[in-house]
Amino acid sequence: MPRTLDGQITMEKTPSYFVTREAPARISAMSKDTKLIVVVRDPVTRAISDYTQTLSKRPDIPTFESLTFKNRTTGLIDTSWSAIQIGIYAKHLEHWLRHFPIRQMLFVSGERLISDPAGELGRVQDFLGLKRIITDKHFYFNKTKGFPCLKKAEGSSRPHCLGKTKGRTHPEIDREVVRRLREFYRPFNLKFYQMTGHDFGWD
Ligand SMILES: Nc1ncnc2c1ncn2[C@@H]1O[C@H](COP(=O)(O)OS(=O)(=O)O)[C@@H](OP(=O)(O)O)[C@H]1O
């Protein structure tokens, strides 16, 4: 980590921190005051998105449906599959709460990051104790892409939109499998809403 001077905030992002067992203790040992921001989305859509990304690199992998179950007849979900396991947010959060108070954590909604980016970034700026500089006027919605774009990227006069690897078309998943996954995640989602004091509306 570079030295942080007065008036600066040092930020670091790594998608796997939230689900890595050793991360909370290590970050806490580095600085107990670290503020933590986690972007979360509906775990079922998250799992399908995760699978879609793997599929784009390895088109020969088994179907989403077959990877989801340990036993399809009994409907037993394979929680050791990372695409499923990562979405059990309440379980991961339990580990973080052993090292950080919940007030030092902010959970950003991945859905609202698309539907209301300025609102969600308003929460981020407040959480970091920053003046609300980024507002609605910094975004426009790119209909083709289905995502908001930043009107002007830092140091550039051109807008910044998300790259080609974002917004891949997800494969159609068997509705019964999606229903079973929703049923599986419901109690974990409810627990997560309770722990964070925030209803993400995934159910
Ligand atoms: N800024 C922002 N706002 C909303 N959603 C976003 C954003 N950045 C990434 N995404 C979506 O998150 C999914 C995974 O993105 P990643 O950045 O991990 O993708 S990748 O690994 O670089 O391919 C992937 O979801 P899907 O497109 O639904 O599969 C991305 O589109």
Side-chain angles (χ1 to χ4, degrees):
M1 277 284 180
R3 179 187 284 268
T4 307
L5 305 175
D6 272 352
Q8 290 184 331
I9 297 178
T10 301
M11 299 187 81
E12 206 271 341
K13 76 136 195 164
T14 302
S16 55
Y17 278 162
F18 187 55
V19 299
T20 301
R21 281 292 177 96
E22 304 79 23
R26 285 184 183 165
I27 296 175
S28 165
M30 184 195 69
S31 166
K32 285 201 174 324
D33 300 327
T34 306
K35 288 187 176 179
L36 305 153
I37 301 175
V38 189
V39 181
V40 285
R41 75 194 290 194
D42 177 343
V44 178
T45 325
R46 207 216 73 82
I48 300 170
S49 166
D50 194 326
Y51 173 80
T52 308
Q53 193 194 125
T54 311
L55 191 65
S56 72
K57 294 176 191 153
R58 294 172 44 207
D60 55 338
I61 55 169
T63 62
F64 180 90
E65 288 83 346
S66 60
L67 290 167
T68 295
F69 295 105
K70 262 205 173 113
N71 183 329
R72 187 147 185 188
T73 318
T74 61
L76 186 66
I77 304 277
D78 187 353
T79 53
S80 69
W81 183 29
S82 63
I84 304 278
Q85 202 258 337
I86 292 171
I88 311 175
Y89 303 134
K91 289 256 180 243
H92 305 302
L93 181 53
E94 273 171 12
H95 299 296
W96 287 87
L97 293 179
R98 289 187 199 138
H99 298 273
F100 289 94
I102 194 84
R103 66 170 182 280
Q104 265 169 251
M105 304 190 77
L106 179 73
F107 295 88
V108 172
S109 155
E111 287 85 9
R112 291 190 66 81
L113 214 43
I114 297 170
S115 63
D116 179 20
E120 224 37 31
L121 283 169
R123 293 179 66 228
V124 173
Q125 291 168 96
D126 292 348
F127 175 69
L128 295 177
L130 297 171
K131 216 166 103 186
R132 283 199 177 204
I133 301 276
I134 299 169
T135 61
D136 263 334
K137 65 176 193 295
H138 292 91
F139 295 97
Y140 73 91
F141 195 78
N142 180 326
K143 279 198 191 136
T144 324
K145 190 82 190 152
F147 284 111
C149 299
L150 253 185
K151 283 207 174 130
K152 219 171 91 177
E154 179 110 350
S156 152
S157 56
R158 293 181 48 203
H160 177 77
C161 300
L162 294 179
K164 279 200 202 91
T165 59
K166 324 290 173 191
R168 294 185 184 99
T169 306
H170 294 175
E172 185 107 355
I173 306 299
D174 184 318
R175 282 168 63 161
E176 182 51 29
V177 174
V178 172
R179 189 202 60 74
R180 175 70 191 100
L181 270 178
R182 295 220 165 278
E183 183 182 70
F184 166 77
Y185 278 120
R186 193 165 299 118
F188 297 113
N189 287 346
L190 293 178
K191 176 97 191 289
F192 184 65
Y193 300 165
Q194 261 174 18
M195 294 167 91
T196 57
H198 194 107
D199 182 343
F200 288 85
W202 298 320
D203 300 282

